[in-house]
Amino acid sequence: MRYDRNLTEIMKLKQILFTTFLLFACVAVTAAPMPDPNIGVKGYFATDKAQRGRTVQAAVVVDIPSGYHINSSRPLESYLIATSLKVDGPGGVRIGPSLYPRAALRKFKFSKKQLSVYEGRAVLRFSVTVPANYSGGSIELKAHLRLQSCNDEVCFPPKTYNEDMRIDVVGANDRVQRVNGWVFR
């Protein structure tokens, strides 16, 4: 009889331990931070080809999922990492300065002050000037976008996105067509 009572107590203890374990597991899962956002980064040109001796507009489009933001190119707090675009091109090709969109001012749980951020879609523009004597048949650009993404509660470690951009090069009098109008309005 005593054996049955001990066995019953052991079973109750196991059930309590199992329930406690499940409770802690649920708390751990719900307390886990949101994962890094799946930010999309893609490069575009304003024409289908680049003409020798001319300038073509280019852009890097950053798609930021709902519920997240990235710091602007000029964050208002010194501890935040600015969004920055650096573009490398072949010798002789001149890359103009990056032009950043207007930032939104928002307040978040982790900051007492408003912050300067990009949300939704951010279009970062720059120009590419092809020398008149450029001998290549195409231009390969390497865009390096450094940013820090955040949600309403936490900022994630900074990340660099690398985007290869290629455009064919034609003569100064060859015809080119405008493309990607949704980017270059």
Side-chain angles (χ1 to χ4, degrees):
M1 178 156 211
R2 183 179 173 142
Y3 176 76
D4 288 337
R5 195 169 63 166
N6 285 344
L7 186 58
T8 304
E9 289 176 5
I10 290 173
M11 293 300 286
K12 283 182 183 179
L13 183 60
K14 280 185 177 180
Q15 188 175 18
I16 290 170
L17 287 173
F18 181 73
T19 304
T20 304
F21 170 77
L22 284 179
L23 179 65
F24 280 116
C26 289
V27 168
V29 168
T30 59
M34 291 178 67
D36 281 0
N38 186 18
I39 292 180
V41 176
K42 181 95 173 102
Y44 297 93
F45 291 97
T47 58
D48 63 341
K49 298 175 193 100
Q51 294 170 305
R52 285 182 182 82
R54 306 272 169 94
T55 298
V56 62
Q57 297 302 308
V60 171
V61 176
V62 185
D63 284 312
I64 306 155
S66 178
Y68 294 93
H69 61 273
I70 63 175
N71 296 318
S72 75
S73 62
R74 294 179 179 212
L76 301 177
E77 295 289 336
S78 61
Y79 63 90
L80 298 173
I81 306 297
T83 294
S84 67
L85 177 64
K86 183 177 186 292
V87 182
D88 299 319
V93 173
R94 193 172 73 229
I95 309 296
S98 298
L99 304 174
Y100 297 90
R102 176 173 281 170
L105 294 177
R106 300 281 188 262
K107 192 156 172 45
F108 300 99
K109 289 180 185 175
F110 62 85
S111 177
K112 294 180 182 188
K113 299 178 184 177
Q114 285 190 325
L115 302 179
S116 175
V117 299
Y118 302 132
E119 299 172 306
R121 176 172 283 155
V123 179
L124 291 62
R125 293 182 170 83
F126 59 96
S127 61
V128 180
T129 303
V130 183
N133 63 352
Y134 186 77
S135 61
S138 67
I139 294 175
E140 302 277 342
L141 302 179
K142 303 271 185 201
H144 310 283
L145 178 67
R146 182 169 165 78
L147 58 83
Q148 183 178 34
S149 59
C150 308
N151 61 27
D152 191 37
E153 297 178 359
V154 66
C155 285
F156 300 98
K159 202 175 208 180
T160 299
Y161 294 81
N162 297 307
E163 176 70 9
D164 294 335
M165 299 174 64
R166 182 184 176 282
I167 190 167
D168 291 332
V169 175
V170 296
N173 296 321
D174 289 341
R175 188 171 181 192
V176 297
Q177 292 184 342
R178 295 209 37 90
V179 292
N180 303 312
W182 64 274
V183 176
F184 301 96
R185 294 181 204 173

